[in-house]
Structures are given as C-alpha cells and as structure tokens.
Amino acid sequence: MRVTFVGHPRAPRVTSCASFSLLIGLAALAAASPAAAQTNTEQTSPPPADQSSVPEVVVTAQKLNAARDNIEPNIGASTYTLDQQAIENLPQGENAPLNQVLLQMPGVNQDNLANGALHIRNEHLEVQYRINGVVIPDGASFFGQGLNPRFMQSMSLITGTMPAEYGLRTAGVVDITTKSGVFQNGGSAEMYGGSYWTMQPSAEYGGNIDGYNYFVSGEFLHNDHGINSPVRNYDAVHDETNQEHGFGYLEKIINPNSKISAIVGSFEGRFQIPNNPGQPIANTVAGSSAFDSNALNETQRESANFGILSYLYSEENWSLQVSGFSKYSTLDYSPDVFGDLAFNGIAQYALRQDQTSGLQADGSYNLNPQHTLRAGIYMTGERASSDTNSWVECTAAPCPAQAPDGVSDTPFGIVNNTAKTGWTYSAYAQDEWKVFPTVTINYGGRFDAIDTSTSANQLSPRLNTVWTPLTGTTLHAGYANYFTPPPFELVSATSPLLFANTSGATPSTLNSPVKPERAQVFDVGITQDVQQLPGLKVGLDTYYKYARNLLDEGQFGAPVILTPFNYHVGYTKGIELSTTYDNGGFHYYGNLAIGEEKAEGINSALFNFDAPTLAYSASHLVNTDHSQLMTASAGMSYTTQDHTTYSVDLLAGTGVRTTEANVTDGTFNNGTVPSYEQVNFGVSHKFDQAPGGPIEVRADLINAFDETYLIRSQSGIGVSAPQYGPRRTFFMGVRKFF
C-alpha cells in the first residue's frame, strides 16, 4: 500500500459524460483496430515498425494528466493511495470486490460485504466516488458493487478536512484513476473461481492508435454466496447471485494542450435473499400458518449504468476541465408473498429507479509563485421514482377501502407510486497560498443548494494548513464546514397513515421530513519518513466532528432498501495510526483506528420507530448502530525475482453495536457483537516465457482460520437480519496476457 498524506498537492481527476451508444461503438472500433505499438514491460511480440508517434502520445498524455491533477489537490486532507500493483498484490488481486480493497485503508470498517457497504470513520455510508475527478452520482442499488478494481490504475481514499472542491458526500471520497491504454498495448483474460461454486471469468484490453487511447474490461461473477449469510453455517439456503461488470475508456488527444475523453460503466446483479431458518410466524395467511422461513423465495435485481464525457484544456498557467455525466440505476425487489406476510406482516413488490444527469467544471490558475487559484461548479437534475404494491391484511376496523373482507387474514394490495425531480447546485473557490517554502495554506469555501426531498442551502468555509518543518516530516491541520443532503433516491415518500389498521402498519404515525446534515470538522495529523529505515513511513491523525441533524440509515421492512433518518445532534471522534514500508519486492502496511459515533434525538422518518425508542433517544446520547470502537488492518507482500508473489492481509475489529437482550425501556445499541479477526493468504506466479505471452496463476485462501463471526446481529436500529462474515474459502485463477 502506498500512503499519500496531504501537504503535497496530489493529482486530481476529471472525466466525461454519457453517450453510451457512441462510446461503445468507438471502443469496439478501437479494440478491433490494430493497436499502435507502445513500450510495455509485458509486451510479448515485436512492435510495428512505425513508432514515431508513440513517444509523443505518451509525453502529451502525461502532461495533460498532470494538468488535470493540478486542478484538484488534497491539501490538508488525509489521503491514502493504492496503486495498481498494490491492488494486484492483495489476496484475490483485481478479483476482490472493491469494498474488500477499501477495508485495507485506515478507519474503514465493514458492514454487509456483499453489498459493498462500509463505514469510514464510523459514519454511515455517505461515501462519494469519483472517476478521474468526476463525481459519480448516488444510485438506487443496495447489494450491487457497481465498481470493481479491474479498471483502476490507482485508488485514493480522502478523508478529514477536505478542500472546497469536495462536498455533498463527505465521510470519505474514493478517487479513482482509470487505466487508459496510454501505457498499455495488449490485454489479458482470466478464469478465476473456487468455493461456493464461484466462477469469475474476466478480460481487459487497452492500447493507442492515431492519437486515441482506449481501455475496455468486463467480468461475470456467479456464486452461491451473494449476500452475507444470516446463519453460522457454511452454506446459506437460497443465496445465489449472478453479476456482470463492464467498463470502457476512450480518449482523443486533440493537440498538446487539449483532449476529450469518454467513459462508460455498467453493472447488472441478480440476488437471492438468503433464508433465516426458525423464525416465528407473526400472522396466519388465508387461513394457513404452515410456513417455513427456510423455504422463502425472495429476490432482488439491481442495475447501474453511467457515462461521462470530458474536455480538458491546459495552457502554461491555467487548466480547465468540463464534464457532463449521467447515471441510471434500478432496484427491483420481489417478495415471497405468502411467506413475507406470515413472517413480516407485509409482502412488498418494490421498484426504485433513479436517473441523474449533470455538469461539472473545475479550473485552476497559477496567479504567481505564491498563489494558485481554483474554482468550479457542479449541478445535477435527478428523477427518482418509487413504485410499490404491498400485500397486507386488515387487522382492525376501519379497514382500508381495498380490503375485501374487512378484518380478516385475506391479503389485499395497497399500491403506492411516487416520483419526484430534484436539483442540486454547488460552486466553490479557493486559494493555495505558499506563505513560506515550508508552509502552505489552502483557504476557500463552497456553496451548496438542494431542492430535492427538501429545500436547503449552506455556505461552507474551509481552511487547511500544511507545514514541513524538517525533511520527511509533514504536519497538517484543518477545519471544514460540511453540508450533506439526504440521499434523494432513498428518502421514503410513504405516508404512515396508508397502512393504518393493517398488518403492515408502521410502529407509529409520527413523521417529519429527512433533513440535510450540517457539521463542523477538525483534523490534525503528522506523517514522518523514518530516515534510519528508508521506505518506512508513519502517520498519526486525529479528528472530531460535531453535527446537527446527523444522518443515519436503516432497513425498515422486508425490501432490502435503506431508509435515511436524522438524529438531532451527534458527534464522531477518533484517532488513526498508519504505517507503510517498501523495500524492493517487500511491501508492508498496518493501520489502527479507535473511534466512536454517538447521537441523540431521532427527529425524522419517525414512523419507523416505536414510542419507547423515540423516548429513549430523546433523552440519551446513544451509539449509532454501525459504530465500532477499534478497527485494524494490516498486510504484507513479497515478490521474488522470478515473479512469485506471496501475500497476507488481516482485518480485525471490536464489533459494531447491537441491542442487548431483555431490554424493555427503549434502550438500543448498548452492546456490541463479538470481536473478530480475519486472515487471508495469497500466492501468484507469472511465467514470462509461456507461448503467446505470459501466464499468471494464483491461489487465494480467504478467512484461512475459518473465524466464524457476526458482522451484524438481528437487534439494533434499522437491522432486519443477522449477517455473518465469510467462512473459509479457496480460490484459484489462471490469467493469460496477450
């Protein structure tokens, strides 16, 4: 793992917009064309004779990428970076889900591994993803990890007090730089699989021709462990998944000062919802109570497609990138109608769709050696719809008009379809001021305004200072005012009165709209290169956040969909220690984070909570359900001269919160699930002299010691079922380079 601590302006990203059919056609044309030769350490055949344009393409691409990076520095934030080689050296390499890779970074703790959920510094989701600097809008999916590591050249996690260009989702920013074909002429195909009937074929290809650089990748995943099991058993009943990922990148270098680039990405996932045996029956249905919770047939299907189109122009003192983007995502839940009625009191067909399109522009201007000015805008229009058909029973008079037989166990449907359009507008400006050669101050602010499920705005000042008093020593301190709107696509528009006197009635009829979170964040840290041991770097970071209307999310009801809600006030605080060491073929990293998040007074989406819970939260500072006191990760890899790589990594934690048994006064999240440790091993070897190009073989052992541990219990706010971590699994793969 490579760790980059802000104090040194880092390369920013900027990208493109959606014209799927155009980009797919161009990518297919480029892939079908003979790739222009380019020097590459994995090239296995002689390059074409005409190489005159390749050095110019590479140099120009590097220059433009550097200009793009200069637009969005991370001055004063805490930044941790993994390059492509570091990702490949992890157990599973590029076959690992994205969240498994992110869990190796400081302060990141796990949630449902299958859905990509994770928590950065104990905050609930609220993670922003950027590809080449362009924000990827939130989507409606829950389980699906719409992005995977296969197309990534590098990936950075940015946390703390971020400069003004970062906003809206501020728990952490995952900033991805894509493979582009600039340094690649060829590709690979891999077959990977193993335990749980896992099959994961994949392929990628990239290169350049006539000033065009291109890269495409795709993979298919099938296994019988699509979602974390609700039981300790090795095999969960009804847990199959099929998933596809696709990615394409194309850029045209127009001249030494400008280029245009396009990106498309797609995800399609189908998930069976695993069954939790032995659950008590809550209702009879049409006169029957003969239902088995281990025989339910619930499924969820998700998709996400996005596109980006960017134009970058750079002169000597200034750079500008303008990007258009679009994303369409869906979530479709199908219940086991009679079974869900029997166990949950409601069986709900749910379809959520979200279409977001927008514009992002970022620019920088080097005013003089002391000042670099930066500014940008971001705006989106979003159409979110929710269609539900809920089967319930009438339990008390007066019954809804749809009930056919009055108070009875005869099911009937309640249709509730809603749709709304929302708008988001943001602008920022800042100045990077080099006060002294060793001191940099980055100050500025941003303005955000939303008209979505609610209307609100905020002017947010930012201030960061970086000081390098000695060679190898960097100190940073910062303040940030954050404005975090609730995820528009997840805000429930259901009226609690709609299900009154039915088996699907909400715990209460109280309601209040979900509000944006407003927070003050302070962060102080230091990093040190240890001169006595070259290659060793140590970092220490502390943070404190105070928030009004602290956002949280929970699963309420049968469909596996998160619903946001607020606490009146809350705080998050902690400390992170990180170490890295690189020496030749040996790489090591170790991270330890200690922190907590507490909040008081649930004050929105109140109908999801019963009266004792609301009363307890109103008068007590409580732990949020996802808060984990201690989180640790560590790993090592060693690559020999004959291209054999051995790797090991570790995940450990004290466990997220749970509600202890026999609670009657509304107390919640007052205990923790047991602590856990998961160790993974990997080994790979590359045969360079194989006919037709190198071949790489790998073997990976996940949870090598078969630690059986709970990620979440069934008790706690907004938690519907227990979730266990993966059991011991073994995978093997063969990858052919060409």
Side-chain angles (χ1 to χ4, degrees), residues 299-301 330-335 347-353 385-390 416-417 558-561:
T299 60
Q300 190 149 301
R301 181 170 181 166
T330 66
L331 182 155
D332 188 355
Y333 174 82
S334 297
Q348 188 174 80
Y349 289 94
L351 172 64
R352 292 203 174 185
Q353 302 177 81
S385 65
S386 174
D387 299 336
T388 61
N389 184 8
S390 305
N416 183 39
N417 298 335
V560 191
I561 301 172

Side-chain angles (χ1 to χ4, degrees), residues 56-66 182 213 251 253 259:
E56 180 181 351
V57 169
V58 173
V59 171
T60 302
Q62 289 174 325
K63 171 193 169 185
L64 292 172
N65 287 343
V182 174
N213 302 309
E251 72 176 14
I253 297 177
K259 71 173 182 178

